[in-house]
Amino acid sequence: MKKIAFITGATSGIGYSVSKILAKDYALILCGRRELRLKNIKDELSKITEVYTLCYDIRDNESLNKSFESLPTEWKKVYILINNAGNAHGMDLIHEGRISDWDAMIDINVKGLLYVSKLIIPIMIKFNRGIIINLGSIAGKEVYPKGNVYCASKYAVDAITKGMQVDLNNYNIKVCSVNPGLVETEFALVRFKGDKEKANLVYDKIKPLTPDDVAEVIYFIINRPDNVNISDITIFPKNQASSTVINRE
Ligand code: NAP
């Protein structure tokens, strides 16, 4: 059986693109909440590789553990973990933000990532091998106006990545943080709660990254020789220089 890649947030955007590119070489465990999307992606990628899907909310640790337990034993030997599930919820001044948005970002982007990692890392340690790729963001390197809690969640991902690198150094596990700028996915639509007009403004007059651009970088990282770990990488579209410096031609 092929080595196994476990991808969270596989139902859209970067996670879906990573699933497609890794299907060439790995068996896949694909996660997300949208059951129909998972089924359709499984139907598509099963033509290339073996696929299992786990449908659960990443905030629910019990549900994660139960669905993982239901996998056949050989499917539990995860080799690659792509900690990708996450979103921004809202974009407000700090004193005007909604508690429900703050809870969602901390619970999904930070605690959800930790729950999955807590489950998979001991398996990697047992088999003395593994690659973990955490999806951070430029928002985890620079705070921008109204980014406050989303930025905090991605700064946390950055710190967790560094913590993993330090703590897993003795266990033959590579850990990498991938930090994109603007990528055109469902991200802006989720952030603005389905408001297409606001979401489109995010990508107005620039050529953003595509999720496939990010997936190709992740594929490159995974395919470095055994002695090489790319520990941290930031990827911008050509017209972006920082969180706030964007040339809208
Ligand atoms: P996206 O298209 O909205 O995809 C987000 C994915 O996360 C979906 O598959 C979604 O699946 C999953 N997800 C969200 N909440 C979840 C939950 N509670 N439980 C389980 N799965 C959940 O956005 P994307 O741009 O690909 O984002 C992927 C990652 O890249 C995120 O961590 C994001 O912060 C990061 N990122 C994005 C950008 C950008 O500009 N797009 C830039 C920097 C970093 P379900 O809805 O099916 O659950």
Side-chain angles (χ1 to χ4, degrees), residues 8-15 31-34 56-59 83-89 108-109 135-138 150 154 179-187 190 203:
T8 70
T11 53
S12 68
I14 296 168
C31 311
R33 289 166 301 180
R34 286 170 286 182
Y56 70 95
D57 188 319
I58 204 161
R59 287 171 282 200
N83 270 323
N84 164 75
N87 277 114
H89 292 271
I108 297 167
N109 303 357
L135 262 293
S137 169
I138 187 58
Y150 177 63
K154 290 298 179 179
N179 304 288
L182 290 168
V183 192
E184 191 161 12
T185 62
E186 294 176 14
F187 180 86
V190 172
Y203 310 112

Side-chain angles (χ1 to χ4, degrees), residues 68-139:
F68 190 77
E69 209 35 60
S70 72
L71 290 170
T73 312
E74 69 273 22
W75 276 83
K76 291 180 184 155
K77 294 180 193 165
V78 174
Y79 173 60
I80 295 173
L81 169 59
I82 310 286
N83 270 323
N84 164 75
N87 277 114
H89 292 271
M91 194 173 176
D92 302 288
L93 295 170
I94 187 74
H95 55 288
E96 292 174 353
R98 293 187 206 181
I99 300 279
S100 57
D101 284 341
W102 296 354
D103 284 344
M105 289 185 280
I106 301 296
D107 290 349
I108 297 167
N109 303 357
V110 184
K111 290 166 70 182
L113 181 149
L114 285 170
Y115 296 156
V116 179
S117 305
K118 168 94 177 139
L119 179 69
I120 303 297
I121 290 170
I123 297 167
M124 293 180 168
I125 290 177
K126 186 172 166 201
F127 292 99
N128 193 38
R129 60 173 204 184
I131 302 174
I132 301 171
I133 297 191
N134 293 333
L135 262 293
S137 169
I138 187 58

